[in-house]
Amino acid sequence: MGTIAPSAKPNLALRILRFPLTLIVLEAIVFILIGGSLEAASAVKRMGFTPVGAFIFTVVGAVVLILVWKASRRWLEGERDHEFTLPGAGKELGAGLLAGFLLFTIMTGLVALLGGIEIVGTRPFGQTQFWAWAALGIASGIFEETLFRGILLRQLERLVGTWWALAATSVLFGAVHMMNPDATWTGAISIMIEAGILLGAAYLYTRRLWLAAGMHAAWNFTQAWVFSVPVSGTGQTVGILVTRRTGPEWLTGGDFGLEASMAAVFVATAGGLWMLWKAHQKGTFVAPIWRRPRG
């Protein structure tokens, strides 16, 4: 029988190319250039698309983004894609969509019980922004989860370990929401805590992006189209329910939206911590590079 020669160690240039910080810069640039256009609603409008056309454009763009991701994992990182493989995708995506809807609905119900929001009527479907928010839900779910969890969290984890990577990406995820028109630091900090933990835990639990993308998409869509509440300080939305928010900002979230409500922080963070605990039980968390045994 012949012997199999050990694989050659990658040369210096390849090791530099595939170093986590290098990959963060290269992959982030590519995905911001491609994915950013999916979330730029004004740019899509300037192309002359109808609402349905803009939705189709976004779906096609999301598919392209996933294909670029697969190519990046194969040709840039030298590995196979694990995050967007198709087996089990429907189950995980469906679970994420349901979880995002339920979490936001439960949180809104809690705000209603405390007197912070009430339903005063409904709108005909044709007068709502259904297609716009369905498109933006897909865009934010696929693009932002690929960027923050697929690239940043995954690559930082290779250097500083799971806990520090989760903390860093949670802070960054909340901070970038300060760029929105009606953003507040209260809202940004709420996003850091509730969404950073919840979505990070969804990735760490599955080590794939379908669950997190579904949660993210459904949370935004439910907030905007179902309850007609501003999404992360991006202005008033027109959904199927006509709602009115009254009371202090800690309860209603003010112009930022219900995401900045303490009810949202409580409900979403509780769900995130539970999922994080389940993920930790799997024993797949990574120690910082300085605490790993040298092999």
Side-chain angles (χ1 to χ4, degrees):
M1 294 178 61
T3 59
I4 299 175
S7 58
K9 190 175 182 179
N11 60 44
L12 179 60
L14 197 58
R15 293 204 302 272
I16 293 174
L17 175 65
R18 292 175 177 171
F19 187 69
L21 294 181
T22 308
L23 289 172
I24 284 175
V25 173
L26 295 177
E27 292 179 336
I29 290 174
V30 170
F31 283 91
I32 288 173
L33 288 175
I34 298 174
S37 63
L38 295 181
E39 290 191 316
S42 59
V44 174
K45 288 179 181 178
R46 287 196 296 271
M47 295 178 189
F49 285 113
T50 64
V52 176
F55 173 78
I56 295 173
F57 172 85
T58 303
V59 172
V60 172
V63 172
V64 169
L65 196 69
I66 291 173
L67 293 176
V68 172
W69 170 263
K70 289 178 176 291
S72 174
R73 290 283 273 135
R74 174 65 181 88
W75 301 109
L76 189 59
E77 298 187 32
E79 299 178 357
R80 289 185 177 181
D81 163 50
H82 300 290
E83 292 72 30
F84 277 123
T85 50
L86 291 179
K91 181 179 179 181
E92 291 177 11
L93 182 61
L97 292 171
L98 179 61
F101 170 77
L102 289 177
L103 282 171
F104 197 89
T105 301
I106 291 169
M107 179 271 295
T108 306
L110 179 58
V111 174
L113 286 175
L114 296 173
I117 189 171
E118 60 178 324
I119 299 172
V120 297
T122 60
R123 293 185 181 91
F125 178 86
Q127 296 179 12
T128 69
Q129 299 170 323
F130 174 84
W131 294 108
W133 283 106
L136 285 171
I138 293 171
S140 61
I142 297 296
F143 166 55
E144 293 183 21
E145 291 313 302
T146 301
L147 177 62
F148 283 94
R149 260 56 69 173
I151 296 174
L152 296 177
L153 176 54
R154 186 172 59 89
Q155 297 294 356
L156 284 175
E157 186 181 41
R158 295 172 57 194
L159 289 177
V160 300
T162 303
W163 292 110
W164 283 110
L166 178 63
T169 51
S170 296
V171 170
L172 183 59
F173 188 62
V176 297
H177 284 77
M178 282 300 297
M179 294 187 292
N180 293 344
D182 293 320
T184 64
W185 276 110
T186 302
I189 292 172
S190 298
I191 293 290
M192 291 177 192
I193 298 170
E194 66 197 32
I197 294 174
L198 177 67
L199 298 172
Y203 166 72
L204 293 171
Y205 179 69
T206 61
R207 291 291 171 172
R208 284 149 58 87
L209 291 170
W210 295 114
L211 181 64
M215 281 186 177
H216 195 148
W219 176 279
N220 285 355
F221 179 78
T222 303
Q223 183 171 200
W225 187 76
V226 177
F227 294 106
S228 302
V229 173
V231 177
S232 304
T234 55
Q236 187 59 48
T237 63
V238 183
I240 199 72
L241 298 178
V242 181
T243 58
R244 178 169 59 217
R245 289 176 295 138
T246 58
E249 286 197 9
W250 68 265
L251 180 61
T252 67
D255 291 336
F256 193 86
L258 286 176
E259 290 170 315
S261 166
M262 290 301 101
V265 174
F266 173 75
V267 172
T269 305
L273 290 174
W274 176 80
M275 188 171 295
L276 192 61
W277 173 64
K278 297 293 288 184
H280 188 264
Q281 281 189 317
K282 289 187 171 184
T284 59
F285 279 25
V286 178
I289 194 170
W290 56 86
R291 289 179 51 191
R292 296 175 208 160
R294 296 185 179 181

